[in-house]
Amino acid sequence: MAETTQSQQFEYKAEMQQLLHLIVNSLYTNQEIFLRELISNASDALNKARIRQLTDHSEGDKEDLQITITVDEEANTLSIEDTGIGMTRDDLINRLGTVASSGTLAFIEEQKAAGKKVDADMIGKFGVGFYSAFMVADKIEIETLPAGEKAESLNWSSDGAGTYSISPGTRSDHGTNVKLHLKEDAKDFATELRVRSIIRKYSNFVDFPIILGSEQANTIKALWRKRKDDITDEERNEFYKFLTGDYSEPIGHLHLQIEGLVSFGALLFIPSQPTGPFFQEENRRGLHLYCSGVFVRDDAQELLPDYLQFVKGVVDTDDLPLNVSREVTQKSPAAQRIRSTLTNKILGLLKDWTSDNEELYNKFFGNFGGILKAGFWSDYDRRDELLEFMRYYSTHSNGRSLTALKDYVERMPEDQENIYYLLSDSLESARTSPHLEVFARKGIEVLLLPDPVDTLTLPNMADFEGKSFKSITGTDLDLGDDTEEVSLPDDDTDTLLKLFRVQLGERIQDVAASRRLVDSAATLVTAKDGMDPQMERMMKSMNPDYEGAKKVLEVNVEHPLMKNILALNSEKKQSSLVEEAIEQVYEGALLMDGNLSEPSAFVARMTRILVDATNTN
Ligand code: ADP
């Protein structure tokens, strides 16, 4: 854009216009948060100016970095002024005038369509905080001067409808003044009383003085630098809310002052629930890094391993340089030491919960257990340690509650050598799996694992406290002697197995008489060294052409169905019914494993059999 001495009009992009329309017309609850957003923008701009001052010595002496808020009841205006980094023409057009997150509009419209209230508080999370001011203002004017030589002072103004204009300004100090012309029904925000209470509520911890009237309105700075005993729970929780924008109180915190090879202070929090989708870019914010008391970034997640990314808070260290990129920080020995100390401390806190406060730990695990499991891949050295933090469903409670491996092992009879588990796609199908029958009869506990992450991790885990993990769907189940069963004469068993072998042919690896079934007629088991059916299911869902390894069909020779099949076969009459019954048994077993790809043939066959069975002639 060529420089001009004239005022220039710009049109908002279509999406921005729609968004503005929504902001102006549908956000009524929590309107006061606009001030938090504007103060937060001012504070960001001040942080940038401070880093610039500290790293670029040509800037001269330290200047006053502060926010000044002025109200004018008569004119019904409210101004927020900062001595920060200011905005260039490009900033005004491409940063201020553009929706950062394309999901914003869709999200708000979805909420509206669903008849849900759209809370103004949601706005800030989408990177359009500035525009929330149009909830209360019908016109906004900005005067800004960016820091640096040859900077151009600019005025920006808009009424929040279709357009904004930019014209040359007269500001002489770098920084920005945002002046709101308040709507008639928002007069309240032109009073010091109201403004002061909003600052106390949302912006008390802002790192720069906020001057209102003749006083500083925010009171508390650098909470983490205070002595632990000098902070109240309430202050700490408020600080957490300020940092994260979360409404709920955190369920735990750590206040650290570490002196050693690296020295740092930290105030960390464990939220009561996930604050957003994990492992996604938008959710990377949450760990604020200060170097020597100066704010650097609010997304210093590289100071935590991936499986502890849910932890939020502040780390303040003198041992990292100010102007250094994430990539460099990540590799620096100081950052690595901080990461390993934080990991130890956080796991230490969680460990205390497992022994002193089971209820709290279980609540934590319900929310964050899935993320902790990521550590099995990324932090190989801590695999054994992480296993202690896992909680699994188990037949001990009939799959109703979670158990620690330690407790499973404690309940094991002395001669049991394995920790048995069953992978499945849902808790319900695990609970009713035929594979469990013999375990139920023998009173052996089995872990039920419906979480796909477990399918990918547990089979690779060596052992826990010397007990190895063993899937119960394999052929190599050795549960000791089982002489009490198998009453079918050997010849009959052979005939039966042969019938199945002939009928099923190449589709299976073999047929065997089962020792694990009690009520079910048959089940598929994994041949030695084969893949667990649940793993196979997952592979198939990722690649429809994937062909799993062949299975062994185990049949329950005790089952009345098997006796009937044998009888039918010896009468040499309805051979087609024998074949259909065998097909049905086989596909039924596939179905139970979630691996029946064409249910239509199964249902058609079942219908034919039912027609025969219900025929009264
Ligand atoms: P967000 O702050 O989430 O990025 P905003 O709509 O509030 O979204 O602001 C958009 C951008 O405008 C900011 O990222 C920043 O670049 C710029 N900006 C807003 N207010 C100021 C200010 N007071 N000083 C400097 N830049 C600002």
Side-chain angles (χ1 to χ4, degrees):
M1 193 90 27
E3 295 211 2
T4 168
T5 50
Q6 302 284 303
S7 170
Q8 260 190 305
Q9 274 238 329
F10 297 83
E11 222 168 88
Y12 288 114
K13 294 224 175 77
E15 193 186 25
M16 191 68 209
Q17 291 201 21
Q18 280 169 282
L19 190 66
L20 275 166
H21 184 82
L22 282 170
I23 289 172
V24 175
N25 296 297
S26 26
L27 303 182
Y28 301 107
T29 45
N30 247 329
Q31 290 192 328
E32 63 190 18
I33 63 94
F34 81 89
L35 190 58
R36 177 187 71 189
E37 297 301 319
L38 296 182
I39 290 176
S40 152
N41 283 348
S43 163
D44 288 348
L46 287 164
N47 269 317
K48 287 177 192 154
R50 176 155 66 182
I51 291 183
R52 199 184 152 97
Q53 274 177 20
L54 291 169
T55 54
D56 181 358
H57 300 290
S58 66
E59 280 287 301
D61 289 339
K62 230 176 152 223
E63 305 156 61
D64 275 350
L65 294 174
Q66 65 177 40
I67 300 167
T68 311
I69 299 187
T70 323
V71 292
D72 183 338
E73 280 188 68
E74 231 162 87
N76 199 21
T77 60
L78 165 67
S79 302
I80 297 97
E81 180 170 22
D82 65 70
T83 50
I85 192 89
M87 280 181 274
T88 62
R89 180 179 289 270
D90 185 60
D91 289 339
L92 287 172
I93 296 169
N94 292 317
R95 286 176 179 249
L96 197 64
T98 316
V99 199
S101 154
S102 57
T104 312
L105 189 62
F107 175 81
I108 296 183
E109 273 175 346
E110 245 168 56
Q111 297 278 310
K112 271 188 64 177
K116 290 191 195 142
K117 260 206 186 145
V118 187
D119 195 305
D121 210 1
M122 295 168 178
I123 277 285
K125 297 202 168 65
F126 292 109
V128 286
F130 170 77
Y131 286 95
S132 65
F134 281 112
M135 291 185 291
V136 297
D138 43 28
K139 182 177 179 191
I140 302 180
E141 290 174 305
I142 298 177
E143 295 174 349
T144 188
L145 175 68
E149 284 163 33
K150 286 198 230 151
E152 172 193 22
S153 168
L154 294 167
N155 291 346
W156 175 102
S157 124
S158 176
D159 59 6
T163 60
Y164 61 92
S165 64
I166 297 178
S167 56
T170 53
R171 205 183 150 87
S172 54
D173 297 323
H174 67 78
T176 303
N177 185 35
V178 177
K179 184 174 189 179
L180 311 187
H181 296 266
L182 295 164
K183 293 181 185 170
E184 266 312 296
D185 59 2
K187 268 181 158 21
D188 216 19
F189 298 112
T191 64
E192 274 187 22
L193 194 68
R194 182 73 197 275
V195 170
R196 180 165 289 116
S197 88
I198 302 173
I199 295 172
R200 279 284 160 83
K201 187 162 165 195
Y202 296 109
S203 309
N204 212 9
F205 296 96
V206 167
D207 222 7
F208 301 93
I210 304 174
I211 309 295
L212 177 64
S214 52
E215 297 165 37
Q216 182 170 338
N218 57 331
T219 52
I220 307 166
K221 282 184 72 181
L223 201 64
W224 61 94
R225 297 200 157 196
K226 292 190 171 182
R227 290 190 24 231
K228 285 180 210 183
D229 300 342
D230 295 344
I231 310 176
T232 63
D233 288 348
E234 204 189 353
E235 271 178 324
R236 211 178 24 240
N237 287 346
E238 250 189 66
F239 178 63
Y240 165 78
K241 290 178 186 170
F242 166 74
L243 275 185
T244 59
D246 192 355
Y247 306 99
S248 354
E249 320 252 286
I251 54 172
H253 75 273
L254 278 169
H255 191 166
L256 308 172
Q257 257 119 20
I258 308 284
E259 300 289 337
L261 284 172
V262 281
S263 302
F264 67 93
L267 184 52
L268 303 179
F269 297 92
I270 299 184
S272 64
Q273 304 169 50
T275 46
F278 279 97
F279 307 123
Q280 284 190 16
E281 212 44 46
E282 309 95 78
N283 205 43
R284 285 193 68 89
R285 279 160 218 279
L287 195 63
H288 295 231
L289 174 64
Y290 283 74
C291 294
S292 312
V294 177
F295 172 85
V296 179
R297 274 188 280 125
D298 66 357
D299 60 350
Q301 301 300 104
E302 73 271 17
L303 297 178
L304 290 169
D306 59 352
Y307 57 94
L308 296 179
Q309 297 281 310
F310 53 85
V311 173
K312 308 282 159 180
V314 174
V315 173
D316 188 351
T317 178
D318 295 349
D319 294 334
L320 284 174
L322 252 186
N323 56 340
V324 36
S325 70
R326 174 199 306 288
E327 289 66 31
V328 174
T329 329
Q330 207 149 14
K331 294 196 191 93
S332 80
Q336 282 172 14
R337 290 219 174 84
I338 293 175
R339 185 164 58 226
S340 97
T341 307
L342 292 181
T343 307
N344 287 334
K345 295 286 180 186
I346 295 164
L347 291 182
L349 174 73
L350 297 179
K351 185 143 191 166
D352 289 347
W353 288 356
T354 62
S355 53
D356 313 339
N357 196 340
E358 215 181 317
E359 196 185 329
L360 182 64
Y361 184 75
N362 288 343
K363 179 182 157 116
F364 160 81
F365 188 83
N367 278 318
F368 300 109
I371 300 156
L372 270 190
K373 288 177 186 174
F376 286 134
W377 288 286
S378 59
D379 199 348
Y380 216 83
D381 294 344
R382 291 192 196 254
R383 276 194 154 192
D384 289 344
E385 189 181 351
L386 287 174
L387 267 182
E388 294 175 33
F389 290 105
M390 295 302 130
R391 297 292 179 268
Y392 298 113
Y393 289 105
S394 142
T395 52
H396 179 65
S397 59
N398 196 16
R400 268 188 275 277
S401 59
L402 296 165
T403 182
L405 291 172
K406 169 175 74 59
D407 297 329
Y408 178 104
V409 170
E410 236 158 60
R411 287 188 292 263
M412 276 166 71
E414 248 172 58
D415 56 347
Q416 187 181 328
E417 281 170 9
N418 301 313
I419 297 175
Y420 292 104
Y421 65 83
L422 173 63
L423 303 169
S424 81
D425 59 345
S426 75
L427 190 55
E428 197 41 46
S429 67
R431 267 204 209 113
T432 52
S433 166
H435 290 284
L436 288 175
E437 291 172 7
V438 65
F439 288 86
R441 197 183 63 209
K442 290 177 171 276
I444 301 174
E445 183 174 348
V446 178
L447 299 177
L448 307 176
L449 309 178
D451 182 351
V453 176
D454 296 330
T455 298
L456 298 172
T457 46
L458 221 67
N460 305 320
M461 226 60 90
D463 62 79
F464 177 79
E465 293 183 358
K467 307 284 181 186
S468 33
F469 291 101
K470 195 165 179 67
S471 164
I472 65 164
T473 58
T475 42
D476 55 343
L477 258 195
D478 180 14
L479 295 175
D481 99 298
D482 252 333
T483 40
E484 75 255 30
E485 51 171 355
V486 190
S487 62
L488 206 64
D490 282 354
D491 283 356
D492 285 353
T493 303
D494 286 347
T495 313
L496 184 73
L497 298 187
K498 206 177 279 167
L499 274 176
F500 272 84
R501 276 192 201 107
V502 169
Q503 176 66 32
L504 298 175
E506 290 295 297
R507 284 177 283 172
I508 48 166
Q509 192 179 70
D510 198 7
V511 184
S514 182
R515 289 165 168 263
R516 73 183 86 211
L517 298 175
V518 178
D519 300 318
S520 300
T523 189
L524 284 161
V525 301
T526 309
K528 209 168 177 339
D529 303 324
M531 189 184 274
D532 194 279
Q534 177 57 17
M535 183 69 197
E536 207 167 290
R537 236 179 59 84
M538 278 174 59
M539 301 287 285
K540 277 187 190 152
S541 72
M542 291 183 272
N543 173 12
D545 296 334
Y546 179 82
E547 289 216 20
K550 286 180 191 169
K551 296 277 181 315
V552 173
L553 182 72
E554 282 195 5
V555 293
N556 180 359
V557 297
E558 295 282 284
H559 199 280
L561 177 58
M562 297 305 154
K563 294 179 176 161
N564 290 354
I565 289 177
L566 266 178
L568 259 183
N569 181 58
S570 66
E571 287 170 23
K572 301 275 179 229
K573 280 192 270 173
Q574 308 195 39
S575 69
S576 70
L577 184 54
V578 170
E579 282 165 21
E580 295 218 299
I582 292 175
E583 287 293 332
Q584 207 66 359
V585 166
Y586 169 66
E587 292 203 345
L590 278 177
L591 181 66
M592 288 303 283
D593 281 348
N595 281 325
L596 180 64
S597 45
E598 280 169 39
S600 56
F602 178 81
V603 172
R605 198 181 309 110
M606 181 179 73
T607 309
R608 279 199 302 277
I609 296 173
L610 283 174
V611 167
D612 281 354
T614 51
N615 188 353
T616 51
N617 298 323

